[in-house]
Amino acid sequence: MGGGRAEEFDRFVTARWSALLHLARLLTGGDRHRAEDLLQEALVKLWFAWPKVAGQAPEAYVRRVLARAAARSARRRWWGEHPVERLPDPPGAADETAAVDERSRLEAMLALLPARQRAAVVLRYYQDLPEQQVAQALGCPVGTARSLTARGVARLRRLLADAVEPAEPVE
Amino acid sequence: MDRFEQELARMMRDSQEDAPFEDRHRRHLRAAVRARQRVRAACVATGSVLALAALGAALLVLPNVFTEGGPASPRPRPVTSAESVPTPPTARPASGAERAPVPART
């Protein structure tokens, strides 16, 4: 790595690392180590594509690489995701660790989604991308992206409802 | 966007932690880039060696082919044979002399 290219690249990564790591973390359902690995792989690809994409949209390029890599992997165990019977309790109003709890709860819910649904939901709601760009990032038709997002949100809605009001056991 | 979707978007945004790009990240990234460069260089070198080997083999074989006046494969056989093969007559002879004798009834 050398020259002005390296400096430019380093500046971009330093400026965007935190946001990109958060995106990777949401895409992996809260697996921090896997998120770092995923982001590093995406940034290595960015380095080789840098002369082409530096002047255009390097962040969009990284987002696309991250989303596709995350959506490709449906191997939950390899990703270190462990489905749980019950989601963590919702935070209390006066809880000092409310933010941490909320993050844990969100990540636990996201981890329960299939990888492609999770990627679609994260791109749509965290990145605030329109459906067309979600489809572009995932490399699928717009209808598929819309369906993935809708199913993902519906699942999250059910999970959240179950967490707030657990179903009564049938006797 | 309904209320739940807005809440979901807010949760995703608010859950972002401040995570600076540390030296260890930079070191790992540079090491990964160098490793990928080595792999790419090895692939290019392997490809070049294979191309040179193929070219060398072609250069060894081609002069022999040209000195023999073309490919060594057998020439295609003619469609019809040079020898005449007697064929049975397909049409009946016109003259009655050549007709086979008909046995007379007694």
Side-chain angles (χ1 to χ4, degrees), chain A residues 1 9-10 13-14 17-19 21-22 25-26 32 36 40 43-45 47-48 102-103 105-106 110 121-122 125-126 128 153 156-157 160, chain B residues 1-2 4-22 24-26 28-34 36-37 40:
Chain A
M1 292 173 79
F9 179 79
D10 199 66
V13 175
T14 305
W17 175 264
S18 189
L21 184 62
H22 185 58
R25 194 163 167 172
L26 291 174
R32 190 186 173 92
E36 282 193 5
Q40 183 173 291
L43 291 173
V44 169
K45 285 187 178 175
W47 165 258
F48 288 101
E102 187 173 80
R103 187 173 59 241
R105 205 155 56 94
L106 173 68
L110 286 172
V121 167
V122 170
Y125 294 101
Y126 171 60
D128 202 21
V153 169
L156 288 175
R157 216 184 284 266
L160 195 69
Chain B
M1 243 193 229
D2 65 16
F4 175 79
E5 289 169 312
Q6 285 172 356
E7 182 65 9
L8 182 64
R10 184 200 62 75
M11 280 169 77
M12 285 185 178
R13 281 194 303 270
D14 291 357
S15 62
Q16 182 173 334
E17 287 177 298
D18 186 34
F21 184 54
E22 297 167 8
R24 69 184 177 93
H25 297 130
R26 189 174 281 108
H28 289 169
L29 184 56
R30 287 181 178 172
V33 167
R34 278 196 294 271
R36 186 68 61 88
Q37 276 170 336
R40 282 183 163 208

Side-chain angles (χ1 to χ4, degrees), chain B residues 10-89:
Chain B
R10 184 200 62 75
M11 280 169 77
M12 285 185 178
R13 281 194 303 270
D14 291 357
S15 62
Q16 182 173 334
E17 287 177 298
D18 186 34
F21 184 54
E22 297 167 8
D23 275 346
R24 69 184 177 93
H25 297 130
R26 189 174 281 108
R27 277 198 307 275
H28 289 169
L29 184 56
R30 287 181 178 172
V33 167
R34 278 196 294 271
R36 186 68 61 88
Q37 276 170 336
R38 278 197 294 273
V39 170
R40 282 183 163 208
C43 286
V44 169
T46 309
S48 303
V49 167
L50 286 174
L52 280 175
L55 188 66
L59 287 173
L60 280 175
V61 172
L62 279 176
N64 295 336
V65 170
F66 286 129
T67 52
E68 285 169 13
S73 59
R75 305 184 94 181
R77 297 181 67 182
V79 177
T80 53
S81 173
E83 298 168 13
S84 62
V85 178
T87 53

Side-chain angles (χ1 to χ4, degrees), chain A residues 16-97:
Chain A
R16 302 304 304 152
W17 175 264
S18 189
L20 289 172
L21 184 62
H22 185 58
L23 171 62
R25 194 163 167 172
L26 291 174
L27 287 170
T28 57
D31 186 336
R32 190 186 173 92
H33 296 294
R34 180 60 197 151
E36 282 193 5
D37 288 348
L38 198 66
L39 180 55
Q40 183 173 291
E41 284 169 31
L43 291 173
V44 169
K45 285 187 178 175
L46 176 67
W47 165 258
F48 288 101
W50 187 256
K52 286 183 200 162
V53 299
Q56 297 165 14
E59 189 151 352
Y61 178 86
V62 179
R63 187 168 55 216
R64 194 169 69 237
V65 173
L66 281 176
R68 287 190 187 183
R72 258 199 311 271
S73 177
R75 291 169 290 181
R76 284 173 171 270
R77 285 183 187 172
W78 183 71
W79 278 70
E81 294 167 7
H82 305 288
V84 290
E85 286 294 319
R86 189 168 166 275
L87 292 171
D89 292 329
D95 197 340
E96 286 179 359
T97 58

